């Protein structure tokens, strides 16, 4: 990292020798960062321009790390007045946990979202550019705890670090 990445992105002390133009190797907080899954490049790639996105992050983990495809939603669910448009209009006022629960409780969303939403939920700890955070945009505490799909053997994880460990198994 250089001094800018240390202070602005990773929020860690500037390592010895780091300057705006000099990068140095350093250890990241082990409870926040591990490999590609928590890399800001991956996190940003799977975020939405309007903010953190449980869905694109979940689909990203499922496709990139598990090599499993997720079909697009059926055409009859899209468009104005469709259930997806109606559901997405309510998301701005819901925490990530509430969003995932809503899709889990709502047909036809509950037929597909449980296969990828858990992966995106555990990445809610990171903002749209990959900074670790504990408070979301609604000023609510983040809770990324989730039950993983059977694709990775199920089980509960509380962090992206735990998810990464599960994925390596």
């Amino acid at each position: 990292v250089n001094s800018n990445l240390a202070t602005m992105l990773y929020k860690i002390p500037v390592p010895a020798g780091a300057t705006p133009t000099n990068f140095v190797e350093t250890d990241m907080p082990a409870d926040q960062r591990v490999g590609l899954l928590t890399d800001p490049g991956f996190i940003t790639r799977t975020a939405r321009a309007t903010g953190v996105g449980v869905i694109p992050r979940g689909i990203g983990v499922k496709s990139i790390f598990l090599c499993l495809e997720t079909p697009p939603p059926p055409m009859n669910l899209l468009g104005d007045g469709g259930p997806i448009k109606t559901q997405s209009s309510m998301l701005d006022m819901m925490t990530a946990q509430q969003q995932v629960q809503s899709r889990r409780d709502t047909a036809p969303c509950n037929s597909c979202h449980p296969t990828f939403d858990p992966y995106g939920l555990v990445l809610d700890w990171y903002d749209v550019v990959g900074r670790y955070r504990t408070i979301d945009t609604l000023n609510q505490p983040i809770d990324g705890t989730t039950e993983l799909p059977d694709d990775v053997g199920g089980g509960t994880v509380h962090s992206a670090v735990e998810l990464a460990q599960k994925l390596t198994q």
Side-chain angles (χ1 to χ4, degrees), residues 43-44 46-54 56-57 92 124 126-129 133 137:
I43 296 290
T44 301
T46 56
R48 288 193 167 146
T50 56
V52 174
V54 170
R57 286 182 176 179
D92 290 343
D124 193 42
Y126 304 89
D127 72 9
V128 36
V129 296
R133 64 192 186 143
T137 56

Side-chain angles (χ1 to χ4, degrees), residues 30 34 37 148 157 159-169:
V34 61
L37 186 65
L148 294 175
V157 294
S159 70
V161 172
E162 289 180 16
L163 175 59
Q165 292 165 345
K166 190 82 167 170
L167 291 172
T168 61
Q169 295 172 359

Side-chain angles (χ1 to χ4, degrees), residues 78-141:
L78 301 171
D80 291 339
I84 291 177
K85 190 75 161 184
T86 303
Q87 172 85 357
S88 62
S89 68
M90 300 182 301
L91 298 180
D92 290 343
M93 303 320 292
M94 301 169 85
T95 66
Q97 276 287 356
Q98 292 167 333
Q99 292 174 27
V100 169
Q101 185 65 47
S102 175
R103 287 189 292 271
R104 195 177 318 137
D105 294 343
T106 305
C109 306
N110 58 7
S111 65
C112 192
H113 280 269
T115 70
F116 55 82
D117 271 358
Y119 306 123
L121 180 59
V122 81
L123 293 175
D124 193 42
W125 292 104
Y126 304 89
D127 72 9
V128 36
V129 296
R131 285 182 296 242
Y132 185 82
R133 64 192 186 143
T134 57
I135 303 292
D136 68 14
T137 56
L138 300 173
N139 284 328
Q140 297 296 313

